[in-house]
Amino acid sequence: MSQDVERLHLSARSLRVERGGRAIVTDVSFELASGEALLVLGRNGAGKSTLLRALAGFLPLRGGEMVFTGGDAPLSERAHYVGHADGLKSALTALENLSFWASMLGAAKTCPDGKLSPQQALEKVGLARIGDFPVGYLSAGQKRRVALARLFVAARPVWILDEPATALDVGSQDRFAQAMIEHRASGGMILAATHAPLGLVDARELRLDAAASAARACPSTAGAC
Amino acid sequence: MSSPLLALFRREARIARSIGGGGAMGVVFFLILVSLTPFAIGPDLNLLSRIGPAILWIAALLATLLGLDRLFQADADDGSLDLFMMTSTPLELVVLVKCAAHWTLTALPLVAAAPLLGLMLGLEPEAQAGVAASLLAGTPALTLLGAIGAALTAGLRRGGLLMAVLILPLTTPVLIFGVSTAAAASGGTVPFHTPFLILCALSLATIAGAPFAAAAALRAREG
């Protein structure tokens, strides 16, 4: 399995995504390999979330092609998605929510080992003591941390994150930045849309701008963007 | 049943049992609807026992549809539906398990309550057993037909009424054969097994077909 993780590659060429018949994302191309991260930047309404939702498989691609190499499973079965909605049931406790997603998302044979138990995952996001609390009683930031703990209960090599740091306090942001570094070091890849700095070093940047629809990807370290 | 589906069933059951989950609402609604009928019609036992199976069936139909509009909407709102699409479990199976959980928690209590309420409507023992048997065979079809409507309206804010308008016409065959099964149990020209087997066939056909329709509707929700 570890060999599979090492040769992940995601390549997108002139992607086009529509919503309700309107083109939201046009002509987006990028390349991403194991251990790399892609920051999707752009103003409100530029299509960041739409692009990430299309990559996760929720929206159909209306043009271009996306090739994901690494194992037999499609990208959506090897990726985690954390979006605006937390995917948590407020009537269930944090541990029940996490155990459920662990068995739903981690069931596939395509998922390598190295996942944490729900309790360990909660410890990792600093919520060890609220595990048996119904999620409905938690604050927005705590809910977001439970949602992020989902990344650790099922080992999937690609993380698709849409504004992951929303409502997180500084300590949690640091902890999450550390987790992202570990994830990349172990051969995973990260695609994130954000306005706030996430603490990703050496991330590629993809600017989505309606005015300059010819979005291009280049390493931020080169300073060409 | 493999472990992700078992986990899904348990989660649905736990949510339905929690406050606001609506698990018990269906049977309470059924109880109220059936107990109101004698007040509306009057204490004519002959009339009540003649139309009793039909009243029980219409009440069961409405009670089954009552909680169904939230079947996928709650998951769509909190983002769970997106995550279901990322599992290696086919969405069709997720739909089927959610329907099975919903049926177990809302329709099965109706089947158990129907003979008792039949007593209130002056039904003969054979008719009571007939109504219970026909509900047991027919409610899976109602739940799964309702799931198609729930999937089509999952993205809408107030989709409940639209769902009922979409689905109620489709339930006509189930209603016809359900009531005639119950009537055949207490005598009549048709043998009991004829409408009963057609009712079973309707349920089996919706179990086979509806998950695909509902999953397709859920996939087409966006875009």
Coordinates of all heavy atoms in Angstrom, one line a residue, chain A residues 26-58:
Chain A
T26 N -13.5 27.9 -15.6 CA -13.2 27.5 -17.0 C -11.7 27.5 -17.1 O -11.0 28.3 -16.5 CB -13.7 28.6 -18.0 OG1 -13.3 29.9 -17.5 CG2 -15.2 28.5 -18.2
D27 N -11.2 26.6 -17.9 CA -9.8 26.5 -18.3 C -8.8 26.5 -17.1 O -8.0 27.3 -17.0 CB -9.5 27.6 -19.3 CG -8.2 27.3 -20.1 OD1 -7.9 26.1 -20.1 OD2 -7.5 28.2 -20.5
V28 N -9.1 25.6 -16.2 CA -8.2 25.4 -15.1 C -7.3 24.2 -15.2 O -7.8 23.1 -15.5 CB -9.0 25.3 -13.8 CG1 -8.1 24.9 -12.6 CG2 -9.6 26.6 -13.4
S29 N -6.0 24.4 -15.1 CA -5.1 23.3 -15.3 C -4.1 23.3 -14.1 O -3.7 24.4 -13.7 CB -4.3 23.4 -16.6 OG -5.2 23.5 -17.7
F30 N -3.7 22.1 -13.6 CA -2.7 22.1 -12.6 C -2.2 20.6 -12.6 O -2.8 19.7 -13.1 CB -3.2 22.5 -11.2 CG -4.3 21.7 -10.7 CD1 -4.0 20.5 -10.0 CD2 -5.6 22.1 -10.9 CE1 -5.0 19.8 -9.5 CE2 -6.7 21.3 -10.4 CZ -6.4 20.1 -9.7
E31 N -1.0 20.5 -12.0 CA -0.4 19.2 -11.7 C -0.1 19.1 -10.3 O 0.3 20.1 -9.7 CB 0.9 19.1 -12.5 CG 0.8 19.3 -14.0 CD 0.5 18.0 -14.7 OE1 0.8 16.9 -14.2 OE2 -0.2 18.1 -15.8
L32 N -0.2 17.9 -9.7 CA 0.1 17.8 -8.3 C 0.6 16.4 -8.0 O 0.0 15.4 -8.6 CB -1.2 18.0 -7.5 CG -1.1 18.5 -6.0 CD1 -0.3 19.8 -5.9 CD2 -2.4 18.6 -5.4
A33 N 1.6 16.3 -7.3 CA 2.2 14.9 -7.0 C 2.2 14.7 -5.5 O 1.8 15.6 -4.7 CB 3.6 14.9 -7.5
S34 N 2.5 13.5 -5.1 CA 2.6 13.2 -3.7 C 3.4 14.2 -2.9 O 4.5 14.6 -3.3 CB 3.2 11.8 -3.5 OG 2.3 10.8 -3.8
G35 N 2.9 14.5 -1.7 CA 3.7 15.4 -0.8 C 3.5 16.9 -1.2 O 4.0 17.8 -0.5
E36 N 2.7 17.2 -2.2 CA 2.6 18.6 -2.6 C 1.2 19.1 -2.2 O 0.3 18.3 -1.9 CB 2.7 18.7 -4.2 CG 4.1 18.5 -4.7 CD 4.2 18.8 -6.1 OE1 3.3 18.5 -6.9 OE2 5.3 19.3 -6.5
A37 N 1.1 20.4 -2.2 CA -0.2 21.0 -1.8 C -0.5 22.1 -2.8 O 0.4 22.7 -3.4 CB 0.0 21.6 -0.4
L38 N -1.8 22.2 -3.0 CA -2.3 23.2 -4.0 C -3.2 24.2 -3.2 O -4.2 23.7 -2.6 CB -3.0 22.5 -5.1 CG -3.6 23.5 -6.2 CD1 -2.5 24.0 -7.1 CD2 -4.7 22.8 -7.0
L39 N -2.9 25.5 -3.3 CA -3.8 26.4 -2.7 C -4.6 27.1 -3.7 O -4.1 27.6 -4.7 CB -2.9 27.5 -2.0 CG -2.5 27.3 -0.5 CD1 -1.7 28.5 -0.1 CD2 -3.7 27.1 0.3
V40 N -5.9 27.0 -3.6 CA -6.8 27.6 -4.6 C -7.2 29.0 -4.0 O -7.8 29.0 -3.0 CB -8.0 26.7 -4.8 CG1 -8.9 27.3 -5.9 CG2 -7.6 25.3 -5.2
L41 N -6.8 30.0 -4.7 CA -7.1 31.4 -4.2 C -8.0 32.1 -5.2 O -8.1 31.8 -6.4 CB -5.7 32.1 -4.1 CG -4.7 31.5 -3.3 CD1 -3.3 32.2 -3.4 CD2 -5.1 31.5 -1.8
G42 N -8.6 33.1 -4.7 CA -9.5 33.9 -5.5 C -10.5 34.6 -4.6 O -10.7 34.2 -3.5
R43 N -11.1 35.7 -5.2 CA -12.1 36.4 -4.4 C -13.3 35.6 -4.3 O -13.5 34.5 -4.9 CB -12.3 37.8 -5.1 CG -12.7 37.6 -6.5 CD -13.0 38.9 -7.2 NE -13.3 38.7 -8.6 CZ -14.4 38.3 -9.1 NH1 -15.4 38.0 -8.2 NH2 -14.7 38.1 -10.3
N44 N -14.3 36.1 -3.5 CA -15.6 35.5 -3.3 C -16.2 35.3 -4.6 O -16.3 36.2 -5.5 CB -16.5 36.3 -2.4 CG -16.0 36.4 -1.0 OD1 -16.2 37.5 -0.4 ND2 -15.4 35.4 -0.5
G45 N -16.8 34.1 -4.8 CA -17.5 33.8 -6.1 C -16.6 33.5 -7.3 O -17.1 33.4 -8.4
A46 N -15.3 33.3 -7.0 CA -14.4 33.1 -8.1 C -14.5 31.6 -8.6 O -14.0 31.2 -9.6 CB -13.0 33.4 -7.7
G47 N -15.1 30.8 -7.8 CA -15.3 29.4 -8.2 C -14.4 28.4 -7.4 O -14.2 27.3 -7.8
K48 N -13.9 28.8 -6.3 CA -13.0 27.9 -5.5 C -13.7 26.7 -5.0 O -13.3 25.5 -5.3 CB -12.4 28.7 -4.3 CG -11.6 29.9 -4.6 CD -11.0 30.5 -3.4 CE -12.0 31.1 -2.4 NZ -12.8 32.2 -2.9
S49 N -14.9 26.9 -4.4 CA -15.6 25.8 -3.8 C -16.1 24.9 -5.0 O -16.1 23.7 -4.9 CB -16.8 26.3 -3.0 OG -16.3 27.0 -1.9
T50 N -16.6 25.5 -6.0 CA -17.1 24.8 -7.2 C -16.0 23.9 -7.7 O -16.3 22.7 -8.0 CB -17.6 25.7 -8.3 OG1 -18.6 26.6 -7.7 CG2 -18.2 25.0 -9.4
L51 N -14.8 24.4 -7.9 CA -13.7 23.6 -8.4 C -13.4 22.4 -7.5 O -13.3 21.3 -7.9 CB -12.5 24.4 -8.5 CG -11.2 23.7 -9.0 CD1 -11.4 23.1 -10.3 CD2 -10.0 24.6 -8.9
L52 N -13.4 22.7 -6.2 CA -13.1 21.6 -5.2 C -14.2 20.6 -5.2 O -13.9 19.4 -5.1 CB -12.9 22.2 -3.8 CG -11.6 23.0 -3.6 CD1 -11.4 23.4 -2.2 CD2 -10.4 22.2 -4.1
R53 N -15.4 21.0 -5.3 CA -16.6 20.1 -5.3 C -16.5 19.2 -6.6 O -16.9 18.0 -6.5 CB -17.9 20.8 -5.2 CG -18.1 21.4 -3.8 CD -19.4 22.1 -3.7 NE -20.5 21.1 -3.7 CZ -20.9 20.4 -2.6 NH1 -20.2 20.5 -1.5 NH2 -21.8 19.5 -2.7
A54 N -16.1 19.8 -7.7 CA -16.0 19.0 -8.9 C -14.9 18.0 -8.8 O -15.0 16.8 -9.2 CB -15.7 19.9 -10.1
L55 N -13.7 18.4 -8.2 CA -12.6 17.5 -8.0 C -13.0 16.3 -7.1 O -12.6 15.2 -7.3 CB -11.4 18.2 -7.4 CG -10.7 19.2 -8.3 CD1 -9.7 20.0 -7.6 CD2 -10.1 18.5 -9.5
A56 N -13.8 16.6 -6.0 CA -14.3 15.6 -5.1 C -15.3 14.7 -5.7 O -15.7 13.6 -5.2 CB -14.8 16.2 -3.8
G57 N -15.9 15.1 -6.9 CA -16.8 14.2 -7.6 C -18.3 14.5 -7.3 O -19.1 13.8 -7.7
F58 N -18.6 15.7 -6.7 CA -20.0 16.0 -6.5 C -20.6 16.7 -7.7 O -21.8 16.7 -7.8 CB -20.1 17.0 -5.3 CG -19.4 16.5 -4.0 CD1 -18.8 17.4 -3.2 CD2 -19.3 15.2 -3.8 CE1 -18.1 17.0 -2.0 CE2 -18.6 14.7 -2.6 CZ -18.0 15.6 -1.8

